[in-house]
Amino acid sequence: QVQLVESGGGLVQAGGSLRLSCAASGRTFSRYAMAWFRQAPGKERESVAVISANSIGTYYADSVKGRFTISRDNAKNTVYLQMNSLKPEDTAVYSCAARLLTIATTATAFGSWGQGTQVTVSS
């Protein structure tokens, strides 16, 4: 298990950008696939982006392809989500999650979660 702490959320106008960060504790961060999920009020949690432990593999939800980029710095135990061209429908609580080794896209596959950070996009 790793402990995860997100930062970087906030209020931004449509078309703007934000970069979320997720800092992980522990010395085995490089063994974990990392993901960003989001949950809007009244909606189910959805996978936004996932990155493999070695950064070679990535997955993006169709709704964010071409706008969001997931990356990681294993030396800093941190995963990032660069969000560009933000839309009001991107408004949600964004959480990072970790699971050992392999990529997955369902929330139940991830055992470690951060507390979440609010992203609000105004129109």
Side-chain angles (χ1 to χ4, degrees):
Q1 298 282 345
V2 291
Q3 283 70 53
L4 305 172
V5 179
E6 302 97 335
S7 61
L11 173 65
V12 64
Q13 289 188 332
S17 298
L18 282 175
R19 188 176 82 155
L20 306 182
S21 299
C22 174
S25 65
R27 293 176 290 180
T28 59
F29 177 73
S30 62
R31 298 179 63 200
Y32 285 83
M34 300 297 296
W36 287 96
F37 287 80
R38 68 185 181 186
Q39 188 166 22
K43 295 188 177 181
E44 292 188 356
R45 180 181 290 176
E46 65 172 340
S47 173
V48 175
V50 187
I51 188 167
S52 64
N54 59 10
S55 299
I56 292 177
T58 57
Y59 159 86
Y60 294 94
D62 287 342
S63 58
V64 307
K65 281 180 181 176
R67 300 188 298 123
F68 291 11
T69 302
I70 190 170
S71 62
R72 64 190 296 161
D73 185 338
N74 286 347
K76 296 182 177 180
N77 282 12
T78 302
V79 62
Y80 305 97
L81 185 68
Q82 178 66 44
M83 306 185 294
N84 298 328
S85 302
L86 282 161
K87 305 175 181 180
E89 51 264 44
D90 293 319
T91 295
V93 174
Y94 285 70
S95 300
C96 68
R99 73 184 301 268
L100 274 173
L101 299 178
T102 57
I103 282 182
T105 59
T106 57
T108 54
F110 288 81
S112 298
W113 291 83
Q115 83 287 352
T117 186
Q118 177 71 46
V119 171
T120 303
V121 184
S122 63
S123 57

